[in-house]
Amino acid sequence: MKKLFTFGLLALAISACRPEPFKEIGSPYSVITGINGNWDLEMVEVEDRSFPQWETLEFTDFFLDNPVSINFNSADNSYAISANSLDGLPFSSMNGTYAFDDEEYPENLYLISTDGDTSTVGMGNMVRAIDPNMIFEELKNKCDAEYARYIYTFKRSN
């Protein structure tokens, strides 16, 4: 009788320790609309991959005389860049429309100018509406080998 009572308590304890089923934590965020707003260029780094030991250098000072900001409007998928020059940037035009290569899991952002030229930048992170930073990456290749990675970090300004 004592064994049966002990076994019953053990069975009751095990069944009481079951986790509750997962609950909804809210609506999923959109990386498509997360890019919406104004972004200021905060940092530019170049990762030199031509040596066995990669080295990263910061070139933000190059842009002190050329402050860069980008406005993305997710309502009509347009962008406008405010800068004195596009030198040193992975963009070919000051305004146009943009598109993602994959709307659910984007890796690249296409910037299509009003003239039809397209610039492709890699997404360093998926941008949500709550994220303060957005990172663009540009890989430089020569003879089918990557020799540098440019990293452009933008900070949300709105």
Side-chain angles (χ1 to χ4, degrees), residues 140-151:
K140 300 288 186 175
N141 299 309
K142 188 172 186 179
C143 299
D144 294 331
E146 292 177 2
Y147 66 88
R149 178 175 74 147
Y150 286 67
I151 305 162

Side-chain angles (χ1 to χ4, degrees), residues 14 22 31 33 40 61 69 73 80 94 145 147-148:
I14 289 174
F22 292 108
V31 296
T33 59
D40 296 327
D61 292 345
S69 63
N73 184 345
M94 299 294 255
Y147 66 88

Side-chain angles (χ1 to χ4, degrees), residues 75-147:
D76 61 358
N77 287 355
S78 66
Y79 74 92
I81 299 174
S82 173
N84 297 332
S85 167
L86 294 177
D87 290 341
L89 296 169
F91 315 120
S92 62
S93 71
M94 299 294 255
N95 54 29
T97 59
Y98 69 90
F100 293 97
D101 61 344
D102 182 347
E103 292 194 0
E104 197 167 337
Y105 304 106
E107 289 184 36
N108 295 306
L109 178 68
Y110 303 118
L111 300 172
I112 304 128
S113 72
T114 52
D115 298 333
D117 294 333
T118 301
S119 299
T120 303
V121 292
M123 299 292 295
N125 63 331
M126 293 174 49
V127 184
R128 301 170 296 176
I130 61 169
D131 290 334
N133 294 321
M134 172 178 62
I135 299 171
F136 289 152
E137 296 179 342
E138 180 183 31
L139 295 173
K140 300 288 186 175
N141 299 309
K142 188 172 186 179
C143 299
D144 294 331
E146 292 177 2
Y147 66 88

Side-chain angles (χ1 to χ4, degrees), residues 28-49:
Y29 62 85
S30 170
V31 296
I32 304 304
T33 59
I35 200 169
N36 194 44
N38 295 311
W39 300 88
D40 296 327
L41 184 63
E42 184 176 63
M43 183 170 50
V44 178
E45 297 172 298
V46 177
E47 184 179 82
D48 186 354
R49 296 179 170 196

